[in-house]
Amino acid sequence: MRKLVTALGLLALLGFPGWGQSQRPKVVATFLPMYWFTKGVVGDRADVEVLVPPGMSAHEYQATPANARTLAQANVVVMNGLGLEEFMTGLLKNVGKRNLRVIDASKGIQPLKEEGHKHNHGHDHKHGHGHSHSAGNPHVWLDPVLAIQQVNNIRDGLVAADPPNAPVYKTNAANFIKQLQNLDQEFRNRLAPVRGCKFIAFHDAFPYLAKRYGLQQMAVVELPEDVLKPQDIQRVKSAAQKFPVKALLSEPGVDDKRLQQIAQELKLPVRTLDPLERGELQSDYYFRVMRQNLATLEAVCK
């Protein structure tokens, strides 16, 4: 018995401190989509925290000392990957924790190339800089089928990290995947009549979703960070005429007079499509907002 206890203690030291002991293990997700997916798999078997606070985007996020402290206390970190979390490079290097397991939720997913490779979002907080991802477009969580693959990767990583709780993780993941499968079927059924619909976006977030359901994100239009010039309006107008669209797709929280000006020039409405990067922690938020996105696409494409 003493030998068994000693062996278990040694495994704990070599593995994850607190995992399977009285102290609850800690899992850290980089930003909201990874938090929702991880929480869905973990359930109540571990504490899950998110590094990028709700309301902020991982694209522009700058790591803080508090983030480093959080990672230093974590057993597992779950990342989207595909070059999205640039802020994590320095964090992981500085933490230097050999037994911190890093789960790449996009493992095995073939990325699409980014449209134009660099984009200015035109957000109302005026950060004014574009971003690019050399690994390809990272917005895979917006495709429910690829989201299933991400959940599978998260499940497998947690099972490897914490074998005693593997049955729970597998059951939770299966339940979460069932919800994603139902969501995928809703998208297929409701968007089938509008296959081939073209749209223009101001954020290159939706090519995976468009490809999955037979839609076409035809262009990602950059906006200047200050005052619209006639050539800016003409550029958007030319794209709208080349790819006949019924609306301009903006994002939640963007109260941008420039978009409204362009919409008036083109006599098109501005609709909201949510990339799910700045939402809320509630467990059902992903599914609620994805269904809102479905309704938006359905209305725009009819």
Side-chain angles (χ1 to χ4, degrees):
M1 181 67 179
R2 181 177 298 174
K3 289 182 178 179
L4 176 61
V5 172
T6 302
L8 289 175
L10 180 60
L11 286 174
L13 289 172
L14 293 175
F16 302 97
W19 206 274
Q21 303 175 45
S22 58
Q23 178 184 352
R24 284 172 63 83
K26 178 182 288 188
V27 181
V28 173
T30 50
F31 74 126
L32 282 173
M34 296 304 99
Y35 173 85
W36 299 318
F37 296 171
T38 301
K39 188 68 176 175
V41 176
V42 166
D44 61 358
R45 293 304 170 104
D47 295 322
V48 183
E49 294 187 26
V50 63
L51 286 181
V52 179
M56 300 187 70
S57 170
H59 291 296
E60 306 99 24
Y61 189 69
Q62 299 293 319
T64 67
N67 294 152
R69 290 192 294 270
T70 297
L71 281 183
Q73 299 169 3
N75 306 108
V76 172
V77 58
V78 180
M79 298 176 58
N80 180 79
L82 298 178
L84 176 67
E85 298 103 334
E86 295 179 358
F87 67 90
M88 285 294 292
T89 303
L91 270 180
L92 291 174
K93 183 178 180 180
N94 291 335
V95 168
K97 188 176 180 183
R98 293 182 180 179
N99 56 1
L100 176 65
R101 182 181 293 270
V102 178
I103 298 176
D104 179 356
S106 298
K107 180 181 178 181
I109 294 177
Q110 183 64 39
L112 298 174
K113 292 183 179 180
E114 285 196 308
E115 178 74 28
H117 302 288
K118 188 174 182 180
H119 315 294
N120 184 308
H121 287 199
H123 290 159
D124 56 344
H125 50 274
K126 301 183 188 303
H127 58 77
H129 60 271
H131 64 266
S132 61
H133 305 285
S134 58
N137 194 303
H139 300 84
V140 294
W141 64 88
L142 291 165
D143 174 350
V145 175
L146 294 181
I148 290 173
Q149 189 166 342
Q150 291 195 302
V151 171
N152 282 332
N153 285 332
I154 293 169
R155 175 203 62 203
D156 292 346
L158 289 170
V159 166
D162 182 23
N165 278 316
V168 176
Y169 299 143
K170 290 178 180 179
T171 298
N172 289 344
N175 292 335
F176 199 88
I177 286 170
K178 182 62 177 176
Q179 295 183 69
L180 288 169
Q181 289 171 335
N182 292 338
L183 181 66
D184 169 53
Q185 194 58 54
E186 288 180 44
F187 269 81
R188 291 181 188 277
N189 292 342
R190 291 170 59 179
L191 294 180
V194 296
R195 288 183 67 87
C197 172
K198 299 176 176 65
F199 64 90
I200 295 173
F202 294 90
H203 181 179
D204 191 16
F206 306 101
Y208 294 99
L209 185 150
K211 181 180 180 182
R212 179 69 58 190
Y213 302 111
L215 310 181
Q216 299 180 63
Q217 178 182 287
M218 300 305 300
V220 178
V221 183
E222 296 184 19
L223 292 177
E225 57 184 289
D226 42 31
V227 180
L228 274 177
K229 298 176 182 178
Q231 54 264 39
D232 296 317
I233 297 175
Q234 185 56 47
R235 184 159 40 84
V236 181
K237 184 181 294 187
S238 296
Q241 290 170 344
K242 182 178 180 181
F243 313 114
V245 295
K246 298 181 180 179
L248 301 179
L249 297 179
S250 183
E251 295 181 24
V254 178
D255 182 16
D256 198 320
K257 294 181 180 179
R258 298 170 301 166
L259 291 182
Q260 297 298 333
Q261 183 181 344
I262 292 173
Q264 289 175 7
E265 289 278 346
L266 298 177
K267 296 181 172 58
L268 291 173
V270 177
R271 303 281 189 183
T272 298
L273 207 58
D274 195 333
L276 284 154
E277 296 177 22
R278 304 169 182 270
E280 302 169 5
L281 290 174
Q282 286 87 342
S283 58
D284 67 336
Y285 188 85
Y286 176 85
F287 295 98
R288 284 191 287 114
V289 176
M290 283 296 287
R291 288 186 169 95
Q292 292 172 10
N293 283 343
L294 172 56
T296 296
L297 289 169
E298 198 175 28
V300 165
C301 290
K302 280 184 177 178

